[in-house]
Amino acid sequence: MLLSALGFSLMAACVKLVSTYGVPVLEIVAARAIVSGFISYVDIKRKGISLWGNNKPWLVARGVVGALALIFVYYAVTTLPLAEATILQYLHPVFTAVLAVIFLKEKVQRSTLLCIVISILGLSVMVSPNIQFSSSAISTMQYSWISIGAAILGAFGSAVAYVIVKKLTKTEDSSVIVFYFPFVSLPIAIALLGSDFVMPSLPAFGLLLLVGIFTQVGQVGLTKALHCEDANKAMAYAYVQVVFSVFIGWLCFSEVPLVTTLIGGGLVVGGALINVLWKR
């Protein structure tokens, strides 16, 4: 799960970078699908297994839900600071824990409930639109509520997709599950993109390739983690992506985290650690 978090952090950074070249979000989604789909196809052929899997309706459903969630997530990444977008997106472990109880009949421990409460508190602190740094200096950061809403919808869609993935791991190979995501998301992205296609420059083209490669790293790590652990426990480790994103945002985009981002992010990560380390 740690490898998955790093892969998704680098992917988000590449998405944000390539958007500065004027490449639309839907085009980024389509490019990601092409690269990830090709890598998945090669991996499936290497394993010598069926490309189409056994439970096709759920595989397609995972692709559709994942594609819609991805569009919302990418929009948030391109319109918010990287750290804030990532922390908002990471409502999905909370949604995953709730959905896993309802649909997968997993048991929720007290540590998971505590994680949910602390995480929601942290996210509330972070998205406060008026931020006071000290008694002598006040800085106001107005987040776009459209961007915040997109991040939350992306988080919910991701949670639904992860629960479907958890269900599919009982009957499907991880490579087949990963393949269906780009297989379904590519036509959806192309249809919604329409005539807004922008020919990418050489640097933008390279970044689009990296988006697909880092996506594959994140997806494979995620699928294998869900295969080995309960959904609500596995997703707790994904909060490490918040730390990665804060560092990458500072390094690549000179995005100095706000005080409330640090406080809220600390609460979110703290809640995740309580969930993961409770038994120890």
Side-chain angles (χ1 to χ4, degrees), residues 80-267:
L80 289 171
L82 190 59
E84 279 81 348
T86 302
I87 295 173
L88 282 170
Q89 177 194 344
Y90 268 77
L91 268 173
H92 71 71
V94 175
F95 292 135
T96 300
V98 175
L99 292 173
V101 173
I102 298 173
F103 296 104
L104 300 180
K105 308 305 179 183
E106 292 183 359
K107 295 181 180 179
V108 176
Q109 300 177 1
R110 286 176 295 175
S111 57
T112 302
L113 292 175
L114 186 59
C115 169
I116 291 172
V117 172
I118 294 176
S119 297
I120 292 176
L121 176 61
L123 289 164
S124 299
V125 170
M126 195 207 73
V127 301
S128 176
N130 297 313
I131 300 165
Q132 181 174 333
F133 289 96
S134 67
S135 58
S136 59
I138 297 178
S139 174
T140 300
M141 169 67 76
Q142 293 292 337
Y143 297 120
S144 166
W145 290 105
I146 295 177
S147 299
I148 292 173
I152 293 174
L153 285 174
F156 180 76
S158 297
V160 175
Y162 294 150
V163 170
I164 295 175
V165 167
K166 180 63 178 178
K167 178 182 179 66
L168 287 170
T169 55
K170 297 178 181 178
T171 60
E172 310 294 339
D173 185 87
S174 60
S175 297
V176 174
I177 298 173
V178 172
F179 171 75
Y180 262 83
F181 191 1
F183 176 73
V184 175
S185 63
L186 179 58
I188 292 176
I190 291 176
L192 294 176
L193 179 63
S195 60
D196 294 334
F197 175 79
V198 173
M199 179 61 67
S201 62
L202 186 59
F205 182 77
L207 287 169
L208 289 172
L209 285 177
L210 289 176
V211 168
I213 292 172
F214 289 136
T215 292
Q216 194 71 6
V217 173
Q219 286 289 338
V220 171
L222 170 66
T223 303
K224 288 186 178 298
L226 290 175
H227 180 73
C228 299
E229 182 59 272
D230 285 348
N232 54 20
K233 283 290 185 182
M235 293 316 303
Y237 286 97
Y239 276 115
V240 178
Q241 184 179 341
V242 174
V243 179
F244 291 146
S245 295
V246 169
F247 178 75
I248 293 172
W250 168 75
L251 185 65
C252 298
F253 306 105
S254 300
E255 296 174 351
V256 179
L258 300 174
V259 171
T260 48
T261 299
L262 295 175
I263 296 173
L267 288 170

